[in-house]
Amino acid sequence: MPKLSNSESKYETKDEMGELEGLSERLQSDLRRNIRVIGSFPILSDSWCGMAETLVRIANVSAAEAKLPKVSDSSTLWECEEVALRFVLEDGKLNLCLRNLVEFKEFERSQRELGNSGIRQELMMFMDKFETSLGVILQNAWFHVEAIQTTDLPLLINFCADVLQNCMDHPGFVQERIDLNVLNKKQEVLVMKYIRCIMKQIEEVGEDRIMPLMKERKIFTLILAFLSSWAENMDVENLTVSVEGIND
């Protein structure tokens, strides 16, 4: 096979770089279009189920980007390669995601009281995709101080308290998740990671802004109670982060 001349090699390299840049632009355009699909829809409606599928794609991108090397642990979203999360913030979707998650967990609790009557199995799959995907997106976002600073923190803290309190009031619900081997990717565990993210950024957020509500809702007491009951069912990472949230 004949060798390329230096000039031919140079042009080929430029063409390859141009193709890669074009591909990157198309992927980012698709990602942004997916993020703009996020809205407020009736739970289990066709639009809501379509959004759940979209959240899976966004969560997959966010999970991959979160593994990319960063300059430091305190890098902002604009200093690292987490494009998906940057778009979520730029498009004003972060608090919408949180409100959607709050509404979903309230719906889930109400349906459980009814024995999940009338929910078909395929719709249960959409519920799982919605909860776990939003969990990935939100926990990755809240590792960054600018995301914490723009979050409705009273809503987040009350959400975490409600989820943990529901665990203590309905331990059978937690056991069901243990039996299905899904506990560690559900909000019952992830809320403790959210609390850890808040506590890690407490100086930037302002202690007086969050600690009174933390104490009122007995957040740390609830975390200790959860760990006392189910620590052995948590994976090492989640258990470590949950303990760190108490010790900060």
Side-chain angles (χ1 to χ4, degrees):
M1 179 177 178
K3 289 186 177 180
L4 294 174
S5 67
N6 288 339
S7 60
E8 289 173 325
S9 179
K10 185 186 298 182
Y11 286 127
E12 185 176 82
T13 301
K14 286 183 178 179
D15 288 343
E16 290 174 350
M17 289 178 63
E19 289 176 4
L20 288 173
E21 288 176 359
L23 176 61
S24 177
E25 289 175 1
R26 289 195 298 274
L27 290 174
Q28 289 194 21
S29 178
D30 288 343
L31 178 61
R32 184 143 233 166
R33 188 162 49 250
N34 283 330
I35 287 169
R36 286 175 175 166
V37 167
I38 299 173
S40 179
F41 308 109
I43 295 175
L44 298 184
S45 66
D46 289 344
S47 295
W48 188 91
C49 291
M51 179 175 65
E53 293 284 12
T54 299
L55 289 171
V56 172
R57 294 192 287 273
I58 298 169
N60 288 339
V61 174
S62 177
E65 290 180 337
K67 296 175 183 177
L68 296 174
K70 299 177 179 62
V71 176
S72 72
D73 289 340
S74 60
S75 295
T76 70
L77 286 173
W78 283 264
E79 295 171 336
C80 59
E81 300 299 321
E82 295 190 68
V83 178
L85 298 181
R86 191 163 74 239
F87 287 172
V88 168
L89 261 67
E90 289 176 350
D91 286 357
K93 300 293 187 177
L94 184 63
N95 281 316
L96 175 58
C97 287
L98 173 58
R99 290 194 297 273
N100 282 346
L101 188 57
V102 171
E103 181 181 343
F104 170 76
K105 293 301 283 185
E106 290 173 348
F107 172 84
E108 182 186 59
R109 286 193 288 271
S110 67
Q111 289 299 308
R112 191 169 188 279
E113 291 175 1
L114 297 172
N116 289 330
S117 58
I119 299 182
R120 301 190 307 274
Q121 186 61 38
E122 61 266 32
L123 293 180
M124 298 289 287
M125 292 173 59
F126 282 113
M127 292 172 68
D128 178 72
K129 290 178 179 180
F130 180 87
E131 179 176 1
T132 56
S133 297
L134 266 186
V136 170
I137 295 166
L138 290 174
Q139 68 175 306
N140 286 344
W142 288 324
F143 284 134
H144 299 275
V145 64
E146 62 270 29
I148 288 287
Q149 289 172 331
T150 58
T151 295
D152 183 342
L153 289 178
L155 181 63
L156 175 56
I157 292 168
N158 278 313
F159 170 71
C160 293
D162 289 342
V163 170
L164 290 169
Q165 186 62 60
N166 184 67
C167 293
M168 307 318 299
D169 293 342
H170 303 283
F173 175 66
V174 181
Q175 187 59 50
E176 289 174 9
R177 307 218 139 179
I178 293 170
D179 294 342
L180 293 171
N181 196 29
V182 297
L183 178 64
N184 282 280
K185 65 178 184 177
K186 296 294 188 176
Q187 296 304 308
E188 287 67 36
V189 166
L190 294 184
V191 292
M192 292 182 280
K193 300 182 83 168
Y194 305 159
I195 294 298
R196 167 67 174 120
C197 290
I198 295 173
M199 297 306 297
K200 188 176 180 181
Q201 313 287 359
I202 193 167
E203 291 185 5
E204 288 79 4
V205 174
E207 185 173 346
D208 58 342
R209 182 183 170 194
I210 61 172
M211 288 311 296
L213 184 56
M214 289 270 209
K215 292 177 181 177
E216 178 186 337
R217 293 306 312 268
K218 299 181 173 62
I219 288 288
F220 302 114
T221 300
L222 287 168
I223 291 176
L224 284 171
F226 186 98
L227 295 178
S228 177
S229 298
W230 296 293
E232 64 182 18
N233 303 111
M234 297 170 63
D235 61 34
V236 174
E237 180 198 356
N238 284 329
L239 181 58
T240 301
V241 171
S242 300
V243 172
E244 288 174 349
I246 298 173
N247 292 334
D248 280 341

